[in-house]
Amino acid sequence: MSFYSYRLSKPILRSRVQNIVSPERLLYKQPSVLVGRTDVVAVTPWLAPIVWEGTFDPDLVDIIYKSMNLTIATTVFAVGKYVRFLQDFLETAEKHFMVDFNVCYYVFTDRPDDVPSVNMSQGRHLSVIQVPGSNRWQEISARRMEIIQTAIERQISREADYIFCLDVDSKFHARWGAESLGRLVAVIHPWFYQATRDLFTYERRPASTAYIPMDEGDYYYAGAVFGGSVEDVYTLTKVCRNHLEEDARNSIEAAWQEESHLNRYLLYNKPSKLLSPEYQWDDKKTKTKEVKVIRFSTVIKNYAEIHPNV
């Protein structure tokens, strides 16, 4: 069977919209419209939720979504020396990420023989997809959107309902569950969630397709985490890939490669759900009072040692 619909020229997707159905006689704490977190904002101006600890009932959320029999795709790039982070990533994911859900890990690597063997729970699988290496880490970063788009077309679209694209040099520390699922999901960058938009490191050169003017911008989103329905992420990666290639033809490289293009896309295609910095912390950053739990974080490393170029 072809991966494409002849008329639409896009992948045949298994993603589907489902009602949020709660079983009868399920007992849980009554929600309140008056009592809750007051130290953080839990909704965007376009009415998308911002997920923080204390803004959801994890047991209720899991019961609702587990009944849908969903499969979550998770892409991760372990290219060059970054393969050394893969074991910790996978082992901690098996403890904390979408526990008791069907999960397919897609590992993109130029070193398939170095992919570790990790015990996985029932319904969870790993696929290794070989990709070329590069002498420039910026090129690896820039090609990420193209590779994910192609993988969705060839494989993921037939195997998953939702997808998260995560950085491998990271570890899970606490629950990351169905509260994160949505049509188009972004995470607020831990270093910029307290900053004003003029301090965001958007691409500021008008010649780039990632350009964002100084007086625009909602939040600064981390490129280390994005996700959503397979269909919506496919559209995101396709648009960002086209913009990256257009910039390349014009000899322009955006300030932060695919993260710059991701921020441009999400400014004009608003996420349906935002994850707080709990879902993408940085181990170099001191924990702040509003971050009650760190769920996923970037590990400390020597970039000069692991990057093919400095």
Side-chain angles (χ1 to χ4, degrees):
M1 178 184 294
S2 170
F3 298 128
Y4 294 90
S5 163
Y6 177 75
R7 291 185 178 180
L8 297 180
S9 297
K10 62 189 297 188
I12 296 172
L13 299 158
R14 56 174 267 166
S15 299
R16 56 195 184 277
V17 176
Q18 297 194 44
N19 293 329
I20 298 178
V21 178
S22 176
E24 293 185 18
R25 296 300 303 155
L26 176 64
L27 302 180
Y28 51 91
K29 183 179 179 181
Q30 180 183 349
S32 172
V33 296
L34 301 176
V35 178
R37 293 281 301 259
T38 58
D39 57 333
V40 294
V41 175
V43 65
T44 69
W46 60 92
L47 299 180
I50 305 175
V51 182
W52 296 88
E53 175 71 7
T55 63
F56 63 95
D57 183 325
D59 296 328
L60 176 59
V61 167
D62 279 355
I63 288 173
I64 289 171
Y65 280 92
K66 283 176 184 175
S67 68
M68 299 180 186
N69 193 31
L70 301 170
T71 296
I72 317 301
T74 307
T75 68
V76 63
F77 284 73
V79 177
K81 293 180 181 179
Y82 273 78
V83 74
R84 70 179 62 176
F85 300 109
L86 189 55
Q87 183 151 356
D88 276 351
F89 175 93
L90 292 171
E91 288 180 348
T92 58
E94 283 300 290
K95 292 179 181 177
H96 302 294
F97 178 72
M98 303 303 297
V99 174
D100 296 328
F101 282 84
N102 300 317
V103 173
C104 290
Y105 301 100
Y106 298 87
V107 176
F108 301 101
T109 183
D110 59 339
R111 301 183 180 184
D113 293 338
D114 293 336
V115 173
S117 177
V118 174
N119 291 329
M120 295 190 176
S121 302
Q122 183 177 357
R124 300 166 76 94
H125 309 283
L126 185 147
S127 292
V128 177
I129 301 173
Q130 188 162 359
V131 295
S134 175
N135 291 324
R136 297 184 69 246
W137 67 266
Q138 294 92 338
E139 181 179 340
I140 298 169
S141 176
R143 292 200 60 212
R144 183 181 177 198
M145 294 296 186
E146 171 197 348
I147 292 169
I148 294 172
Q149 178 199 345
T150 301
I152 291 174
E153 292 172 353
R154 294 179 177 176
Q155 184 174 358
I156 297 173
S157 60
R158 297 176 294 123
E159 298 176 351
D161 304 287
Y162 291 91
I163 180 172
F164 280 102
C165 307
L166 307 178
D167 274 6
V168 71
D169 53 337
S170 309
K171 293 172 65 174
F172 294 87
H173 306 279
R175 171 204 164 85
W176 177 321
E179 74 280 356
S180 63
L181 298 177
R183 181 184 56 76
L184 185 60
V185 181
V187 66
I188 300 172
H189 200 293
W191 288 101
F192 292 100
Y193 77 95
Q194 297 165 311
T196 54
R197 61 164 64 121
D198 59 299
L199 298 177
F200 294 168
T201 54
Y202 290 150
E203 173 54 61
R204 300 299 190 181
R205 293 170 295 173
S208 172
T209 58
Y211 168 65
I212 296 177
M214 291 295 294
D215 58 352
E216 291 188 45
D218 299 317
Y219 309 94
Y220 191 86
Y221 302 111
V225 176
F226 61 91
S229 74
V230 172
E231 181 174 11
D232 281 275
V233 173
Y234 175 76
T235 302
L236 180 158
T237 56
K238 184 176 182 180
V239 171
C240 288
R241 172 194 180 174
N242 289 340
H243 287 173
L244 282 154
E245 291 178 349
E246 182 176 343
D247 274 9
R249 289 192 295 271
N250 293 321
S251 301
I252 300 172
E253 187 172 82
W256 291 101
Q257 294 80 43
E258 91 281 10
E259 184 174 86
S260 297
H261 289 274
L262 176 71
N263 271 275
R264 163 81 185 199
Y265 182 87
L266 293 172
L267 175 59
Y268 301 114
N269 301 270
K270 305 293 191 193
S272 63
K273 181 175 287 185
L274 277 66
L275 304 180
S276 71
E278 298 170 1
Y279 293 81
Q280 179 51 51
W281 200 247
D282 190 323
D283 288 351
K284 297 192 300 292
K285 185 176 176 65
T286 302
K287 187 170 175 285
T288 55
K289 64 182 186 302
E290 58 271 9
V291 175
K292 307 299 184 185
V293 58
I294 295 174
R295 305 178 189 278
F296 186 63
S297 71
T298 301
V299 301
I300 296 173
K301 53 199 165 293
N302 181 353
Y303 285 103
E305 195 273 326
I306 59 174
H307 279 174
N309 62 303
V310 178

